[in-house]
């Protein structure tokens, strides 16, 4: 059964943001995800259908935001993680 499961490819990034900007980052992620399925549990998870998904998660203890991404291959996961990290950094 385990051999029949598809491979899982994940990537993560940590982006430094100021404490005062963390809430704004989360709102921006929701606004920019228009037209995509969004889940709001602990962070903002954006579904990219067959391309995978990305989760933007604020760190509770540090002025950082974590980007976790999963894709059908390593390139797709890395690409999604980079895309969201750049969005956050460009503010």
């Amino acid at each position: 059964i385990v051999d029949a499961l598809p491979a899982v490819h994940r990537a993560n990034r940590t982006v430094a943001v100021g404490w005062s900007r963390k809430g704004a980052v989360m709102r921006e992620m929701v606004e920019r995800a228009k037209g995509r399925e969004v889940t709001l549990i602990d962070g903002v998870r954006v579904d990219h259908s067959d391309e995978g998904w990305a989760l933007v998660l604020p760190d509770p203890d540090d002025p950082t935001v974590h980007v976790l991404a999963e894709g059908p291959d390593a390139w797709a996961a890395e690409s999604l993680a980079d895309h969201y990290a750049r969005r956050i950094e460009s503010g």
Side-chain angles (χ1 to χ4, degrees), residues 14-91:
T14 299
V15 182
V17 297
W19 284 107
S20 61
R21 192 166 170 268
K22 284 170 84 171
V25 165
M26 303 312 286
R27 285 188 297 277
E28 289 168 12
M29 293 300 108
V30 171
E31 290 171 5
R32 290 181 174 185
K34 299 249 189 243
R36 297 196 182 276
E37 183 178 335
V38 175
T39 305
L40 303 174
I41 299 176
D42 294 331
V44 178
R45 183 183 185 274
V46 182
D47 185 21
H48 286 262
S49 302
D50 294 338
E51 299 169 22
W53 54 262
L55 171 66
V56 179
L57 186 65
D59 190 288
D61 300 319
D62 294 317
T64 59
V65 175
H66 303 285
V67 178
L68 311 171
E70 183 176 296
D73 55 46
W75 182 87
E78 295 287 337
S79 179
L80 275 175
D82 289 340
H83 172 76
Y84 279 89
R86 282 192 306 270
R87 274 188 173 183
I88 294 165
E89 290 169 341
S90 69

